Amino acid sequence: MRVCHTIDPVFDDPNLIGFGGLPAVMSLAERAGLHDLVDQHVTVPGSAGANAAVKVAALVAGMVVGADSISDLDVLRHGGMGRAFTGLRAPTTLGTHLRGYRFGHVRQLDAVASRLLVNLAKMSPILAGVDQVAFVDVDDTIRETHGYHKQGVAYGYSGVKGLNAILATVSTPASAPVIAATRLRKGNVASAHGTARLITDTLATLHKAVATTAGLVVVRADSAYFTHDVVAAIVRGRARFSITARMNKAVTKAISTIDDTAWTPIRYPHAIFDQAQQAWISDAEVAETGLTAFTSRRQADHVTARLIVRRVKRLNPHPKTQGELLPGYRYHAVFTDTTLGLVEAEAAHRDHAIIEAVIADLKDGPLAHAPSGKFTANSAWLALAAIAFNLTRAAARIASVTLGRARTATVRRALVNVAARIANQARHWRLHLPRDWPWQTQLEHLFDTVHGPPTPATL
């Protein structure tokens, strides 16, 4: 493709907007009760907290279209945006609002996010199949920062200086993950710190979102969360746990009791690149035994459950100079109380990696920066990023099943960031969008749904 003419850009049309799908997404937010929830729960004092519902909606709208810093929010004030929306605010005003948050106000915003997710689940099938099986995944990440003026910044477990963000997502075999809870923490905090409370909040939100009794709920996490407090919170929340076990003496001893004939060969659907061996691994074996964990605590805190072990043969590092005498293996153990079969339970736990896609999605969007020097402002920013993520996911799922599982950047390109011209014809507002837009059918369906009578989502 080549440019066929010399084109001079002229920025002079007051009726054009760059985000033709944003009115549909924000209409969905309004119908899900975003403004009412903020009015009910968020009580930021002083002038910074005035018109909180308007400012929170503006922050969310900016994140939906791709803003990843406070100054980027000025993208909402262009062309005909003032005709499509009311309550547009300058980035400085929105930044002042964020800096007005304290810890309690951030928790108020968390309450808004959880209730909004419950409402979105009633309007869009973002949790389809949750009445049969649901997976709650927990993981944390370091949001790298630079400079010395951001509160809470420290060197964490990865050796990177920044802030620690922990997420809990909910997904089903039929639906992509949504974010149920978030917390921003100091950069040097232990991964499991505060996770029990996060899981409790997530499971409470999940049970509220399900119209009927929830089916099998499995909480998955890596070895950083292999603690009694985490397991106890999962059990109290009427869920099952599937957590990577640390290779301590008790786990190693349990693995050593597995008979050589008990291993079941499995083959991964896709080969996995092993960083330690710098090789592609496609074959492995699994077996099962029992384990009583947390025996250093009092008797009442001991937990006995299944230990599912996967082993992968170590490759000979010197195949040309030295033959293999005895095969060596690397072991990966999962501590779980699920009732799934051996192979199914191991495969289900491996799918915990789905949360990494959500983290990457956030870092490709609102979480590309920690935009403020104030810790609570960044905490509020993370909570708003979760709201924007879930809102985008719900709008995409209404538009089509395919877009409902797509990355946020794909949804943004297909449904949100499409140029449009606003016109008033016979007292009726219209958005003129590009002819032959590849996702015209999906976008029309989204507009029809959010502007039509409410239709309960089918779970």
Side-chain angles (χ1 to χ4, degrees):
M1 185 172 69
R2 300 179 65 180
V3 178
C4 58
H5 302 286
T6 300
I7 298 176
D8 296 324
V10 181
F11 296 89
D12 63 351
D13 197 323
N15 298 312
L16 284 178
I17 62 175
F19 315 120
L22 186 60
V25 177
M26 296 312 295
S27 294
L28 176 62
E30 189 170 350
R31 294 188 65 178
L34 176 60
H35 298 78
D36 295 336
L37 288 170
V38 174
D39 283 335
Q40 293 170 15
H41 296 281
V42 179
T43 58
V44 178
S47 59
N51 298 316
V54 172
K55 295 173 182 176
V56 167
L59 285 160
V60 171
M63 292 178 179
V64 168
V65 301
D68 60 14
S69 65
I70 294 174
S71 60
D72 276 359
L73 297 170
D74 203 29
V75 75
L76 296 175
R77 302 193 304 164
H78 71 270
M81 291 290 285
R83 303 183 71 185
F85 298 94
T86 60
L88 297 177
R89 294 292 188 270
T92 53
T93 303
L94 300 178
T96 301
H97 176 71
L98 286 173
R99 289 187 291 273
Y101 280 78
R102 301 295 183 268
F103 176 77
H105 304 125
V106 176
R107 296 295 288 131
Q108 292 173 353
L109 203 56
D110 289 336
V112 171
S114 64
R115 287 164 173 78
L116 184 70
L117 177 59
V118 172
N119 293 343
L120 288 173
K122 297 175 181 178
M123 302 175 63
S124 171
I126 51 175
L127 291 178
V130 72
D131 54 334
Q132 299 176 8
V133 60
F135 295 103
V136 175
D137 293 293
V138 179
D139 204 357
D140 64 326
T141 184
I142 299 294
R143 174 61 274 166
E144 184 177 4
T145 60
H146 304 278
Y148 299 92
H149 300 291
K150 290 185 184 292
Q151 295 176 350
V153 169
Y155 286 94
Y157 56 84
S158 63
V160 174
K161 185 178 71 173
L163 296 168
N164 184 294
I166 185 171
L167 313 175
T169 65
V170 179
S171 62
T172 74
S175 63
V178 292
I179 301 174
T182 62
R183 298 285 190 279
L184 189 68
R185 308 177 296 180
K186 292 183 178 180
N188 58 354
V189 73
S191 293
H193 179 76
T195 303
R197 176 63 185 272
L198 183 85
I199 290 173
T200 299
D201 293 348
T202 299
L203 294 176
T205 299
L206 176 59
H207 291 307
K208 291 177 183 177
V210 182
T212 58
T213 303
L216 175 65
V217 179
V218 181
V219 180
R220 304 181 294 198
D222 60 31
S223 60
Y225 305 93
F226 184 55
T227 67
H228 173 266
D229 290 345
V230 170
V231 172
I234 295 170
V235 174
R236 286 195 304 268
R238 295 172 290 155
R240 304 281 185 170
F241 56 84
S242 180
I243 302 176
T244 303
R246 293 195 190 96
M247 283 297 173
N248 54 33
K249 291 182 179 180
V251 173
T252 303
K253 182 178 179 180
I255 293 174
S256 67
T257 63
I258 300 175
D259 191 86
D260 284 341
T261 61
W263 294 96
T264 301
I266 63 171
R267 185 172 183 85
Y268 296 124
H270 303 287
I272 296 176
F273 187 76
D274 187 342
Q275 293 287 351
Q277 301 187 39
Q278 291 294 300
W280 291 94
I281 304 297
S282 60
D283 294 302
E285 297 174 311
V286 293
E288 180 179 342
T289 186
L291 174 68
T292 299
F294 318 121
T295 54
S296 62
R297 301 174 63 95
R298 60 177 183 168
Q299 183 73 29
D301 292 342
H302 295 184
V303 179
T304 301
R306 306 163 66 190
L307 188 70
I308 296 175
V309 185
R310 180 178 80 245
R311 71 178 187 181
V312 178
K313 184 179 292 187
R314 292 185 183 275
L315 298 181
N316 185 355
H318 306 289
K320 296 182 178 180
T321 60
Q322 183 178 1
E324 184 179 60
L325 179 61
L326 293 173
Y329 294 95
R330 292 185 302 105
Y331 295 89
H332 182 278
V334 178
F335 189 57
T336 180
D337 65 343
T338 63
T339 56
L340 302 173
L342 170 62
V343 176
E344 186 181 5
E346 192 278 331
H349 181 79
R350 251 190 292 132
D351 287 340
H352 165 66
I354 195 173
I355 194 173
E356 297 293 344
V358 176
I359 292 173
D361 214 337
L362 287 177
K363 287 187 174 181
D364 191 37
L367 213 58
H369 306 284
S372 177
K374 195 167 185 177
F375 182 81
T376 50
N378 289 325
S379 298
W381 183 269
L382 176 62
L384 292 166
I387 292 175
F389 180 92
N390 293 338
L391 185 60
T392 305
R393 178 73 70 203
R397 184 60 184 83
I398 290 173
S400 76
V401 176
T402 301
L403 285 175
R405 302 187 70 91
R407 294 173 60 248
T408 301
T410 301
V411 177
R412 193 180 296 130
R413 181 179 66 250
L415 298 181
V416 180
N417 294 359
V418 47
R421 180 170 57 84
I422 299 176
N424 190 327
Q425 299 178 354
R427 299 182 180 180
H428 183 74
W429 290 97
R430 295 182 183 275
L431 273 180
H432 293 273
L433 296 131
R435 186 176 61 184
D436 299 328
W437 185 249
W439 300 277
Q440 174 181 338
T441 302
Q442 293 88 333
L443 192 52
E444 286 178 339
H445 182 61
L446 175 60
F447 269 99
D448 292 342
T449 301
V450 299
H451 291 147
T455 55
T458 302
L459 296 178

